[in-house]
Amino acid sequence: MNRDGFMSFMSSLVVLAIGLLVGFLIMLISNPSAAWEAFRTILTFGFSEMRSIGNVLQGATPIIMTGLSVAFAFKTGLFNIGATGQFAAGGITAILIGLNFQGTPDGVRILFALVAATVVGALWGAIPGILKAFRNVHEVISCIMTNYISMFFVVFLIERYAFFPIENRSASLPPNSNLPTFGLENIFRSEFIRGSGIYRSSQINIGIFIAIIAAILVYVILEKTTFGYELKACGFNKDAAKYAGISQNRNIISSMMISGALAGLGGAMLYMSGTVHMGVGNSLLPYGFTGISVAFLGLSNPIGIIFSGTLISHLFLGGARVQVLGFPLEVVEIVISVIIYFCAFVSLVKMFLGKRIVTWFKERSAPPEETAPAEEPPALEEPTAPEEPITDEEPTQNGGDQA
Amino acid sequence: MYIIEMRNITKEFPGIIANDDITLQLKKGEIHALLGENGAGKSTLMSVLFGLYKQEAGEIFKDGEPVAIAGPNDANRLGIGMVHQHFKLVHNFTVLENIVLGVETTRSGVLQMAEAREQVLALSAKYGFDIDIDKEVGQISVGMQQRVEILKMLYRQNEILIFDEPTAVLTPQEIDALMQTMRNMAAEGKSILFITHKLDEIKLVADRCSVLRKGKMIGTVDVASTSKEEMSEMMVGRKVILSLDKKEATPGKVIMEVRNLTRRGNEKKSGKAKFNNVSFDVRAGEILCIAGIEGNGQTDLVYALTGLSNIDSGTITMNGQDITKAKIRKRTETGIAHIPEDRHKHGLVLDYTLAYNTILQTYYTPEFQSGGFLKMNVIAEYARELIERFDIRSGQGEVTPTRSMSGGNQQKVILSREISRDPQLLIAVQPTRGLDVGAIEYIHSQLLAQRDNGKAVLLVSLELEEVMNVSDRILVMYEGEIVADVNPKEVTFAELGLYMSGAKRMDDIAYDKTETEVSA
C-alpha cells in the first residue's frame, strides 16, 4: 500500500475516534448511567445482525452518491454545496415518473426514472456552473440559492401532483416502481425472535451496487481520461490549465453537471427504495450536506467514499437505535453531528500525521549507533532526495510587519 | 569574540537536513557573505537566526552569551534586522509610517510622529538616501523600497543586518549605491550578513565569505585572497565554466512579427498603458532578449504574445499567420513554446506527477490518448525519456509529485516539455530565476542549442549578466515601451542600466524601417 493511501486511511480513523470520544462525553453528560451502553450500540449495532447490515448499506446509498457529487466538484476546484437541491430535483423526478407511466414495463419505467433523475440533477447543477463560467458568480452563493428554489419547487410539485395528505408527504410509489432487490432482502434479514423462523427483512435494494458502480465510474473519469486530466488540472491550478489552453468555462460547467447528475441519481434511488418519502416542510434535505462530510472523510477519493458513506450510515443507524436506551432524539443527533463535524478535520490530521509518521519511520530506519554501528544513516547522501523545499520560497512565517 | 556565533546548528525538515552542524561566526563591523546555491540552506540558517525556525541542535551566541530566539521580536530585541528578498512593506502606508510600524511612539494611544520623522530624516541624510518619507510606498521604485527596509532596521537600531539577495531587483546603478551603503554601515560598526549567489558582489564588498553546500558548511574564506573561481568551486563542488561558449548567431527568416502592440492600463488605477506601441521581430537562429527592470511591462507583453491576456491594438504574426486573436492552444500549435515567468502559477500543476506535467501541452494529441483515455504506459515511457534526456532529478522518477521537486528540476520539467515539442519559437521568461549555478548553466546551453538548431528564442530577463551573455540582440523595455535596441557586444552594463532606468532612450529604433523591409 502506498504511504499516502495509508496515511489517508489512518487520518480518517483518527478523526473518527476523536469524534466518537467527544460524542461519548456528550452522552455521558446527558445520561451517565446509560452512556457506555449507548456508545457501544452506536459502534456495534450496524453489524450486529444481517438485517442491520442491509439497512446500513441501504442508508449508505444516497450519501455515497452525494459524497461522490461533492467530491467530484471538489476535485475540479468547485465546492458543490448545491448537492441537496440537485438531490431533491432528482428525487421528485423519480417520484413523478414512478407514480405515472403505469402502462410501461416495470424495468423500462424504473430505468427511465433513474436516467431522467440523473439528467434533471445535471441540469440543475449546470445552473451554478453556467453562472460561474460566464458571470463569475461564486458557486457557493448560487448553489445556496438554487437549493432553496429546488426545495420550494419540489414542495409545489408534491402538493400538486404527488400528495399524500394524511401524512403530509409525497405519495408512496407503487411497489413495482421501486428499485428491484433481486432477493437481497432474503440475504440481509434476521430472525424476529431467535428460533422463531419468522424473519424481518432489511430495506436493501440494488441501489448500493449502482452507487458502487458510480464510484468506480467517477474514479475512471478522474484518473484515466483526458477529460479527467483537464478537470483536475483546472481544479489544482487554473492558471496552469489556462496556460495549457484548457477551456475553463467548459470544464466548470461539465464538472457541475456531472456533480449534479450524481446527486440527482442519489435522490432517485432514495425515493425509489419504498421506505422514505418527501415531506412538504420548508427545510432542505440533509443528504447533500451529509455528502460533504462523506466526501471529506473519504478524502474526496471515490473508492474511499464508498467506505466513508457506509461508515456514516452505520453511525446513523446505531444512533437511531440509541433512542431505545432513553436518549432524546436531539442528543443522538448532536452526537452524530459532532462525529461528522470532526470528519471535516481529516485533512488537518493527515498533515499532522504526515510529519509524525515521517519522523517515526526515520527513527526506525536509522537506529542509533549502538544498535547498528555498521550502517550509516541513509538519509544524508541520498542523491535523489528532494532538495530542501523551504529555501526556494520565502519562509512561510513572517515578522510582525508583513505587508 | 564574535558579535554573533551560530554554533553547530542543525535544522531538519521531513526528508531533508537543511542545516547540518553549521557553525557561522560574524565579527563586529564586518560584511560577511553567505554564499550557496538554492537549496543549500542559506535562507534556513538565516531564518533560524531570525527566529522563524527553531533549530533541532546547536546554539546561538550574541557577544559570547547564549541566547534563545523564539521569533522575530526576540531577534529585534537582540538587534538583529533583516531585509527580506520580497519586501515586507505596507503599500498604502507612507515611507515614514512603514518605518515606525511596530515600534510607534504613542502618548495615551495617540501617535507621536514628529520625533520619529526627525530621526528618520536624520538617518536618511546620514546615509545619503534621497527619499521622500511622505510618499506612499506603493508609489516609489523598488530600489527606494529597499532603502525603506534598510531605514527600518536602522531606526530600530539594529546592529546585525541580514540582507537576503538584496541586489536581485536592482539596476546596476542602484546596486552600486547599495554596496556603498553597506560599506558605510560596516564602517559605522554595524555587522552585515549578506546572502547572495553573485560572486562579483562578494568580491566587491564582503570581507569574509562562508560557503554552504547541500546543508553543510564548506568553509569560511577571506574574500581578498580567494578568487571567484575558487569560491564558485566551493559552492558547486566542481569546476564551473563562468563564461558561456557561444558561436556567432546566424539570424534567418522572421518567425514572429509583432507590430504596434498596445494594452491600456486599468482606467481606475493609474490609467498608464501596460505596454505601448511595441514592435519587433524575432528571427530564426537568434536569441532576442527583452531586458528591463521588473514591472516595466515585460510580463504583460509576454501574456499578450502567448494569449494569456488580450491586447487593445496591434498585430502578432507567427510564420506569416496572423495570431492576434488566436486562442492559447492555437498559438501553441503554431509553434510557440512558453517557459513562463512564474513556474508555479502557469508552468506546472504542482499536484500532478512529473509525468502528467510533461504532457500538459500535448495530452490531447493521439500520441498520448485514444478515445479519450490517457495512454498511461506511453505517458510514463515519455516522461522517463525526458528524465533521462534532460537529467531531471526526482525522488521517485516519473511518479514523483512535482510539488516535492526542487526549483531547478521543476524548471527542467517545463524546459523539457516545451523544447521537446520542437517549437518554432521559444519564449523563455526569467528561465533561470532562483536556480543554482549548475542549473543556470544547463538552461543557457539549452537556449543556445535551440538557437543553433535554427529556432527563434525570445528571452525575457531581469538579470543583466544573463542578458549580456546569452542574447544576440537586446531590446530594453521601460514603462511599457521599447527604448533601446542594442547589440550586446557593443553595449556596456552601465549603458544598459541607463536605458533600463529611463535615463536614456534611443530615438530611432530600427524595427519598422530596415527590418520590415527585409521581412516584406
Side-chain angles (χ1 to χ4, degrees):
Chain A
M1 188 172 195
N2 67 43
R3 212 182 71 189
D4 190 61
F6 174 72
M7 245 146 58
S8 303
F9 181 70
M10 285 305 291
S11 40
S12 293
L13 285 189
V14 168
V15 286
L16 208 67
I18 299 172
L20 285 169
L21 194 74
V22 176
F24 178 59
L25 289 178
I26 293 169
M27 290 189 289
L28 213 55
I29 294 164
S30 162
N31 184 351
S33 60
W36 176 247
E37 181 60 22
F39 188 62
R40 215 179 54 84
T41 305
I42 289 181
L43 281 187
T44 59
F45 179 71
F47 46 83
S48 60
E49 50 182 24
M50 287 305 273
R51 178 171 174 268
S52 307
I53 295 174
N55 286 341
V56 165
L57 293 176
Q58 166 57 20
T61 307
I63 57 177
I64 288 175
M65 294 306 295
T66 50
L68 288 172
S69 167
V70 172
F72 190 90
F74 197 65
K75 278 267 181 182
T76 62
L78 297 165
F79 192 43
N80 180 17
I81 206 169
T84 186
Q86 297 139 16
F87 186 90
I92 189 67
T93 309
I95 289 174
L96 292 177
I97 292 173
L99 286 173
N100 300 295
F101 300 102
Q102 282 297 323
T104 52
D106 294 348
V108 173
R109 188 176 55 252
I110 289 168
L111 209 61
F112 176 50
L114 290 176
V115 171
T118 310
V119 171
V120 168
L123 293 176
W124 201 248
I127 297 171
I130 290 167
L131 285 171
K132 167 121 185 173
F134 295 110
R135 303 248 54 98
N136 202 22
V137 179
H138 199 287
E139 75 276 10
V140 168
I141 307 294
S142 50
C143 277
I144 289 172
M145 294 194 286
T146 51
N147 276 346
Y148 282 97
I149 298 169
S150 165
M151 176 186 88
F152 288 116
F153 195 60
V154 163
V155 168
F156 161 77
L157 287 175
I158 292 172
E159 287 182 343
R160 173 156 294 193
Y161 300 109
F163 201 42
F164 181 61
I166 296 170
E167 292 188 16
N168 209 24
R169 61 167 170 83
S170 66
S172 301
L173 292 186
N176 63 2
S177 285
N178 284 333
L179 285 177
T181 59
F182 292 147
L184 285 168
E185 78 276 24
N186 293 328
I187 301 170
F188 294 99
R189 61 175 188 175
S190 301
E191 272 181 293
F192 190 44
I193 297 161
R194 206 170 291 267
S196 68
I198 305 164
Y199 286 92
R200 287 200 304 171
S201 301
S202 62
Q203 294 151 0
I204 193 167
N205 58 36
I206 60 160
I208 184 68
F209 295 105
I210 297 176
I212 291 170
I213 291 168
I216 294 169
L217 259 176
V218 166
Y219 175 80
V220 169
I221 290 175
L222 284 176
E223 301 300 327
K224 305 286 177 199
T225 65
T226 50
F227 181 48
Y229 181 91
E230 290 184 344
L231 286 171
K232 282 194 297 178
C234 284
F236 285 140
N237 183 348
K238 63 179 189 330
D239 294 306
K242 186 180 176 194
Y243 159 91
I246 295 169
S247 160
Q248 182 129 24
N249 289 351
R250 209 195 75 182
N251 275 307
I252 288 172
I253 298 169
S254 318
S255 172
M256 281 306 291
M257 284 183 77
I258 292 177
S259 183
L262 290 163
L265 178 58
M269 294 201 291
L270 178 68
Y271 296 107
M272 289 166 75
S273 65
T275 47
V276 186
H277 304 95
M278 270 191 173
V280 291
N282 293 341
S283 60
L284 296 169
L285 295 170
Y287 303 96
F289 302 113
T290 309
I292 297 173
S293 315
V294 171
F296 273 29
L297 188 61
L299 284 158
S300 295
N301 177 319
I303 308 304
I305 283 167
I306 300 176
F307 293 102
S308 63
T310 310
L311 204 104
I312 288 187
S313 168
H314 169 95
L315 293 176
F316 276 139
L317 196 75
R321 179 74 182 179
V322 166
Q323 287 178 69
V324 177
L325 299 169
F327 281 90
L329 183 63
E330 288 74 18
V331 169
V332 174
E333 280 178 355
I334 289 171
V335 170
I336 299 297
S337 308
V338 159
I339 295 170
I340 290 175
Y341 181 77
F342 274 94
C343 296
F345 293 103
V346 67
S347 297
L348 198 76
V349 170
K350 189 179 166 190
M351 216 164 67
F352 179 74
L353 262 189
K355 285 184 188 148
R356 285 297 138 111
I357 285 181
V358 167
T359 352
W360 186 77
F361 270 115
K362 211 186 286 167
E363 280 162 10
R364 281 317 213 46
S365 59
E369 297 278 329
E370 308 91 71
T371 48
E375 216 173 16
E376 275 287 301
L380 289 181
E381 289 304 315
E382 187 145 16
T384 54
E387 288 187 52
E388 178 207 343
I390 308 325
T391 46
D392 274 348
E393 318 276 344
E394 275 280 279
T396 44
Q397 296 157 279
N398 295 312
D401 52 353
Q402 190 192 0
Chain B
M1 167 87 83
Y2 297 102
I3 185 155
I4 283 286
E5 184 175 12
M6 300 180 80
R7 213 180 278 169
N8 309 102
I9 300 291
T10 296
K11 172 72 200 164
E12 288 183 42
F13 293 105
I16 194 97
I17 301 177
N19 288 162
D20 186 4
D21 194 23
I22 289 182
T23 298
L24 179 75
Q25 292 156 330
L26 178 67
K27 289 181 192 161
K28 188 169 167 55
E30 76 166 341
I31 300 181
H32 192 121
L34 195 54
L35 176 67
E37 299 189 305
N38 268 81
K42 297 171 302 209
S43 297
T44 308
L45 188 64
M46 288 305 105
S47 298
V48 168
L49 181 56
F50 202 56
L52 295 174
Y53 294 137
K54 181 93 190 84
Q55 72 272 24
E56 265 90 48
E59 276 183 293
I60 301 173
F61 297 85
K62 165 125 197 287
D63 298 321
E65 299 287 321
V67 289
I69 304 175
N73 291 336
D74 285 358
N76 253 319
R77 219 167 294 128
L78 294 167
I80 302 171
M82 184 160 175
V83 176
H84 294 267
Q85 207 172 344
H86 302 277
F87 306 144
K88 314 274 182 211
L89 295 170
V90 184
H91 275 220
N92 51 0
F93 270 20
T94 66
V95 170
L96 180 63
E97 285 167 337
N98 265 290
I99 290 169
V100 301
L101 183 63
V103 289
E104 308 89 351
T105 342
T106 55
R107 194 170 302 141
S108 17
V110 180
L111 272 176
Q112 304 294 316
M113 294 297 264
E115 201 179 317
R117 169 182 297 273
E118 250 166 60
Q119 277 183 35
V120 171
L121 279 174
L123 281 172
S124 173
K126 183 169 157 197
Y127 288 94
F129 291 170
D130 178 25
I131 194 167
D132 180 355
I133 62 168
D134 291 316
K135 266 212 165 140
E136 277 189 18
V137 159
Q139 305 292 324
I140 63 178
S141 72
V142 176
M144 284 293 172
Q145 292 182 2
Q146 189 175 59
R147 291 181 175 179
V148 178
E149 286 282 12
I150 295 171
L151 281 173
K152 255 167 78 178
M153 296 195 297
L154 296 171
Y155 183 74
R156 286 162 177 70
Q157 295 173 337
N158 289 332
E159 288 301 311
I160 299 125
L161 315 177
I162 307 171
F163 286 85
D164 189 356
E165 309 239 358
T167 59
V169 289
L170 303 182
T171 62
Q173 283 80 4
E174 287 172 328
I175 291 175
D176 286 344
L178 173 68
M179 296 289 151
Q180 192 51 47
T181 307
M182 285 167 75
R183 275 190 220 108
N184 290 346
M185 290 191 295
E188 294 266 313
K190 310 256 183 205
S191 315
I192 296 176
L193 269 167
F194 176 29
I195 306 178
T196 186
H197 53 237
K198 293 185 184 156
L199 297 163
D200 290 323
E201 290 163 8
I202 295 179
K203 269 299 199 190
L204 221 53
V205 292
D207 302 308
R208 294 194 303 152
C209 172
S210 292
V211 186
L212 294 184
R213 185 169 78 225
K214 289 185 178 162
K216 294 207 174 81
M217 176 62 84
I218 303 302
T220 301
V221 295
D222 191 43
V223 173
S225 60
T226 315
S227 74
K228 278 199 276 184
E229 281 72 20
E230 283 169 298
M231 282 192 279
S232 77
E233 211 180 312
M234 285 174 78
M235 167 165 74
V236 191
R238 63 184 166 86
K239 283 211 186 308
V240 174
I241 313 143
L242 285 176
S243 68
L244 215 54
D245 183 24
K246 189 172 135 192
K247 280 188 290 192
E248 208 43 49
T250 49
K253 61 169 183 144
V254 173
I255 299 289
M256 181 184 254
E257 189 183 283
V258 177
R259 287 295 173 269
N260 310 105
L261 226 52
T262 297
R263 178 161 167 79
R264 287 189 291 276
N266 189 335
E267 304 283 327
K268 280 180 213 144
K269 289 179 184 163
S270 62
K272 211 159 59 180
K274 289 187 167 162
F275 49 86
N276 187 22
N277 206 19
V278 170
S279 302
F280 59 86
D281 291 329
V282 197
R283 289 160 181 280
E286 76 165 349
I287 298 180
L288 174 64
C289 181
I290 296 181
I293 302 167
E294 190 158 15
N296 276 286
Q298 304 99 312
T299 305
D300 290 300
L301 178 62
V302 170
Y303 282 0
L305 297 180
T306 52
L308 283 167
S309 70
N310 300 323
I311 54 167
D312 290 313
S313 63
T315 56
I316 309 165
T317 323
M318 182 75 190
N319 274 327
Q321 191 184 349
D322 184 4
I323 55 162
T324 312
K325 295 213 158 58
K327 290 213 161 101
I328 295 170
R329 181 163 292 170
K330 185 81 206 322
R331 296 185 196 215
T332 308
E333 285 167 351
T334 61
I336 298 180
H338 178 196
I339 298 177
E341 179 175 10
D342 189 333
R343 57 176 163 266
H344 289 173
K345 188 177 175 199
H346 288 113
L348 295 166
V349 180
L350 288 175
D351 295 292
Y352 270 170
T353 60
L354 196 168
Y356 265 26
N357 270 300
T358 61
I359 57 162
L360 192 59
Q361 303 266 35
T362 44
Y363 68 91
Y364 60 90
T365 58
E367 190 184 354
F368 297 116
Q369 61 99 16
S370 83
F373 281 85
L374 293 168
K375 294 178 182 167
M376 295 299 176
N377 293 332
V378 179
I379 294 167
E381 185 52 44
Y382 179 72
R384 281 196 291 271
E385 197 186 301
L386 293 188
I387 290 172
E388 175 80 31
R389 210 173 106 204
F390 290 85
D391 188 30
I392 303 166
R393 310 276 177 82
S394 62
Q396 300 144 267
E398 78 275 8
V399 297
T400 313
T402 318
R403 193 180 285 287
S404 74
M405 295 168 61
S406 74
N409 284 301
Q410 288 177 343
Q411 189 72 335
K412 277 186 180 177
V413 172
I414 300 175
L415 184 82
S416 71
R417 178 182 72 213
E418 298 303 308
I419 287 182
S420 53
R421 290 194 290 116
D422 197 27
Q424 292 292 307
L425 168 69
L426 176 63
I427 302 178
V429 189
Q430 290 267 63
T432 58
R433 179 187 253 182
L435 303 189
D436 60 57
V437 177
I440 290 174
E441 212 185 327
Y442 183 81
I443 301 229
H444 285 167
S445 69
Q446 288 292 328
L447 294 181
L448 281 175
Q450 282 292 300
R451 181 198 79 166
D452 293 342
N453 277 334
K455 311 291 184 194
V457 178
L458 179 65
L459 171 69
V460 178
S461 177
L462 309 176
E463 301 272 343
L464 273 189
E465 207 61 63
E466 180 170 87
V467 170
M468 291 293 254
N469 284 338
V470 182
S471 61
D472 300 315
R473 194 153 68 90
I474 302 172
L475 301 177
V476 181
M477 260 185 115
Y478 175 71
E479 299 211 318
E481 294 185 9
I482 290 182
V483 296
D485 179 351
V486 292
N487 184 330
K489 292 200 198 77
E490 293 162 5
V491 72
T492 61
F493 274 88
E495 205 182 339
L496 264 188
L498 292 177
Y499 286 124
M500 285 164 64
S501 56
K504 200 174 161 192
R505 139 174 224 151
M506 278 187 178
D507 304 322
D508 185 29
I509 296 172
Y511 77 90
D512 54 352
K513 297 186 180 69
T514 52
E515 288 189 19
T516 30
E517 278 156 31
V518 172
S519 67

